[in-house]
Amino acid sequence: MRNAHPQGSSQALAGRIAEWLTFDNMHHQWLLLAACFWVLFMFMVASKFITLTFKDPDAYSAKQDFLFLTAVPDVGRSPGETHFPEELKPTGKMLVEPLVYTQRLELMRNVCREDALRNLSHTAVSKFVLDRIFVCDKHKILFCQTPKVGNTQWKKVLIVLNAVANLRGDQTNTPSSPTPPPICFPGAFPSIEEIPENVVHDHEKNGLPRLSSFSDTEIQKRLKTYFKFFIVRDPFERLISAFKDKFVHNPRFEPWYKHEIAPGIIRKYRRNRTETRGIQFEDFVRYLGDPNHRWLDLQFGDHIIHWVTYVELCAPCEITYSVVGHHETLEDDAPYILREAGIDHLVSYPTIPLGITAYNRTKVERYFLGISKRDIRRLYARFEGDFKLFGYQKPEFLLN
């Protein structure tokens, strides 16, 4: 009897310990289960956030552009000052107007105001200039052609736009708005890839009216109200491209360059009269750098558009352009131009092969190798306006 109580107490104690251990074990299990649910919940939230962040590449791009553009220094402006030229005020399409395009226009206007460069930056808005500007009335676009800067593709863009307009019956013809030349196959070019090269450069077939074909009143109305743009590239690299295209390869079989223009340049500018080779880049450079080149230009007619200055082609100090694109950054500039012109939903710029638009200093050095510093300096003196208007660095490695 004396031992019964201690034995019962021991059993009760053992039961309580077992009960406590069971409870503690269940408590740990519940904590572990709760922790698993918490981790799963956080993973789901994180996954949803990642999906929302990267689902819209345009939104992501816009955020990145904003971070980059706000870091661009605005040269010559007091801190905190923000100014948008009248024709470049934010349109509401983007949160921030890309500063690089505004800065290009401001640089151009500043150079236009420099009296020392007036003869190199100003030209009359003559028929020669108006002949270079192509019109798309449906979308209120003017494009100034600057050959050897990828202009064929931009002309294809306008051909597609005009073809779609013709197909829909959108063109309006009035006495002051002449009927555009008929396209070879009206409405037959719904995409850029389908346009034959011979149509692009045949102005009787491509459906691209020139600004010169309108009355003075209609010309002024379009210059004041339409979206206007053109493309530039490093001036010396453009001259190399023109020389190769017209005097070396001549892919479009334009025999007059080799048989008429080249002999005229050789006769006047070749120093070694016993040299029998065809035209060399050195001959071409001497012709272009000659202050008296104009008498030959008159003989060559409109063929000179492939190597005259951007100033002579597009009159950038007389015409208020909306955008100036750069060949070197065309991968960014082309979509921007289409978007600002309001046509990005209708047409796309053709795919640009990687690296094809990049400036090639090695090529420039190779072509100018052996040409006298005097001739290069004279060439630069003629194209200095183009270098400064569009922010291209003076090629000191060639001049000094």
Side-chain angles (χ1 to χ4, degrees):
M1 292 293 295
R2 220 180 267 180
N3 297 331
H5 181 70
Q7 184 178 358
S9 298
S10 299
Q11 288 176 348
L13 179 62
R16 283 196 294 271
I17 290 173
E19 183 181 351
W20 180 81
L21 289 173
T22 302
F23 174 79
D24 186 67
N25 187 40
M26 290 179 65
H27 179 69
H28 279 289
Q29 287 178 351
W30 277 109
L31 285 176
L32 182 62
L33 187 61
C36 289
F37 274 113
W38 176 254
V39 171
L40 183 62
F41 174 75
M42 292 301 295
F43 178 78
M44 291 173 64
V45 171
S47 299
K48 187 67 176 176
F49 176 76
I50 292 171
T51 302
L52 289 172
T53 303
F54 293 101
K55 188 173 182 180
D56 184 0
D58 290 335
Y60 178 72
S61 172
K63 185 181 290 186
Q64 294 295 92
D65 286 345
F66 176 79
L67 292 173
F68 170 76
L69 291 167
T70 53
V72 176
D74 201 357
V75 180
R77 178 169 293 157
S78 59
E81 181 184 356
T82 303
H83 169 71
F84 286 99
E86 190 65 30
E87 67 275 18
L88 279 180
K89 287 184 177 178
T91 60
K93 298 178 185 176
M94 305 178 68
L95 291 176
V96 178
E97 192 74 22
L99 296 182
V100 64
Y101 303 104
T102 304
Q103 288 172 340
R104 287 176 186 174
L105 295 173
E106 289 179 346
L107 170 65
M108 192 168 68
R109 293 190 188 100
N110 289 336
V111 175
C112 287
R113 288 193 287 266
E114 291 185 23
D115 290 336
L117 290 172
R118 187 168 185 82
N119 290 337
L120 297 173
S121 60
H122 288 261
T123 190
V125 183
S126 62
K127 184 179 184 302
F128 181 82
V129 171
L130 298 175
D131 278 344
R132 310 281 76 79
I133 300 177
F134 295 101
V135 182
C136 179
D137 274 329
K138 168 61 180 175
H139 300 285
K140 297 186 175 181
I141 297 171
L142 299 180
F143 166 59
C144 184
Q145 178 188 22
T146 50
K148 317 326 307 165
V149 191
N151 280 251
T152 297
Q153 304 303 332
W154 285 109
K155 287 167 76 173
K156 287 182 178 181
V157 168
L158 295 184
I159 289 171
V160 168
L161 291 174
N162 280 352
V164 171
N166 288 341
L167 189 61
R168 293 175 178 170
D170 293 333
Q171 289 286 354
T172 56
N173 302 316
T174 65
S176 59
S177 178
T179 303
I183 298 177
C184 201
F185 306 101
F189 306 126
S191 70
I192 287 173
E193 291 75 14
E194 298 177 41
I195 304 175
E197 289 291 315
N198 64 318
V199 171
V200 176
H201 302 289
D202 188 334
H203 297 296
E204 293 183 359
K205 295 179 180 178
N206 64 21
L208 297 179
R210 299 172 189 260
L211 191 56
S212 59
S213 66
F214 295 86
S215 69
D216 290 343
T217 302
E218 291 296 321
I219 288 171
Q220 292 305 316
K221 182 180 79 171
R222 285 163 174 77
L223 286 175
K224 289 179 181 178
T225 61
Y226 280 21
F227 178 86
K228 302 171 286 294
F229 76 100
F230 65 101
I231 313 295
V232 297
R233 73 187 294 188
D234 177 85
F236 280 6
E237 197 169 33
R238 172 176 170 253
L239 296 180
I240 292 171
S241 178
F243 178 79
K244 288 169 58 181
D245 186 59
K246 299 306 174 187
F247 300 110
V248 180
H249 303 306
N250 201 244
R252 298 193 186 98
F253 188 68
E254 299 162 314
W256 48 88
Y257 286 100
K258 282 189 176 181
H259 301 313
E260 297 176 24
I261 295 178
I265 294 173
I266 291 171
R267 279 193 300 270
K268 181 167 177 59
Y269 296 102
R270 177 154 296 175
R271 287 177 179 161
N272 184 358
R273 297 296 179 179
T274 63
E275 175 64 68
T276 58
R277 290 184 301 170
I279 187 170
Q280 302 297 298
F281 190 63
E282 183 179 13
D283 307 320
F284 190 54
V285 166
R286 285 200 198 98
Y287 152 57
L288 295 177
D290 183 1
N292 299 311
H293 62 85
R294 295 195 182 279
W295 76 273
L296 265 188
D297 289 352
L298 292 173
Q299 295 181 41
F300 298 156
D302 279 0
H303 299 308
I304 64 173
I305 64 171
H306 298 282
W307 50 76
V308 296
T309 66
Y310 299 126
V311 171
E312 294 169 278
L313 290 169
C314 297
C317 290
E318 283 66 40
I319 297 174
T320 305
Y321 285 92
S322 311
V323 178
V324 177
H326 281 222
H327 186 258
E328 294 81 1
T329 54
L330 198 56
E331 293 89 344
D332 296 323
D333 293 4
Y336 175 80
I337 290 169
L338 296 178
R339 187 166 58 247
E340 288 299 293
I343 55 175
D344 55 317
H345 63 294
L346 296 173
V347 66
S348 298
Y349 192 85
T351 302
I352 302 170
L354 187 65
I356 197 171
T357 62
Y359 174 71
N360 190 337
R361 172 170 167 161
T362 301
K363 179 178 68 176
V364 173
E365 288 177 323
R366 186 173 71 250
Y367 268 83
F368 280 92
L369 184 66
I371 299 178
S372 72
K373 298 297 182 185
R374 171 184 174 274
D375 289 336
I376 298 175
R377 289 180 187 128
R378 289 178 63 164
L379 181 69
Y380 177 77
R382 177 178 176 187
F383 287 86
E384 183 181 6
D386 281 359
F387 276 94
K388 292 194 173 180
L389 280 165
F390 308 111
Y392 287 103
Q393 289 188 353
K394 185 177 181 179
E396 299 285 0
F397 63 97
L398 296 174
L399 299 168
N400 298 319

